[in-house]
Amino acid sequence: MGKFPMFVELAGRQVLIFGGGTVACRRASSLLPFGPELRVIAPAVVPELEALGVPISRRSYVPGELERPFLVLAATDDPAVNAAIAAEARAKGAWANNASDHRDCDFFFPALALSPELTVGITGTGENHGRVKAAAEKIRELVL
């Protein structure tokens, strides 16, 4: 069984993204419209992430640095670092998403179909990204 689908209020809540690559950029782009206090921590970032205008701390993850985030996204290029970030996040009471290992995620990022008055999110088990994206596209065509 997959994750329980649930919509969460993010406005004003602290969300940390560790990593500055394309995965981090996609995550930040999907979160921004929902108003979190988003911050990226990465020694380097892709230009598309920089262009989003989110605060960026240009450095690597330091164990013990998490205070009280609501969500933590571990999207570095090092699976061991991602696992450490996710473990620390959970120890601090935050939900964690480890981009390196779908089994180490408290939540998944859904494929979204958005309109001004409707948000539809679709997810799977973490192993079927193509099918999830195709389903979201079909919903966009039918409903939006």
Side-chain angles (χ1 to χ4, degrees), residues 62-144:
V62 177
E65 74 175 312
L66 299 182
E67 291 183 21
R68 297 293 283 152
F70 181 68
L71 297 178
V72 174
L73 294 84
T76 74
D77 58 2
D78 185 334
V81 171
N82 288 344
I85 292 168
E88 183 177 346
R90 284 187 197 97
K92 299 289 183 166
W95 290 1
N97 177 281
N98 179 343
S100 300
D101 184 356
H102 70 272
R103 295 163 301 192
D104 189 29
C105 292
D106 299 313
F107 65 96
F108 293 145
F109 275 78
L112 295 173
L114 300 171
S115 76
E117 65 279 336
L118 183 65
T119 300
V120 179
I122 301 171
T123 192
T125 62
E127 298 177 9
N128 52 3
H129 301 295
R131 189 171 184 196
V132 169
K133 286 182 180 182
E137 185 57 39
K138 190 62 111 175
I139 288 173
R140 279 186 211 100
E141 293 170 10
L142 293 172
V143 178
L144 306 176

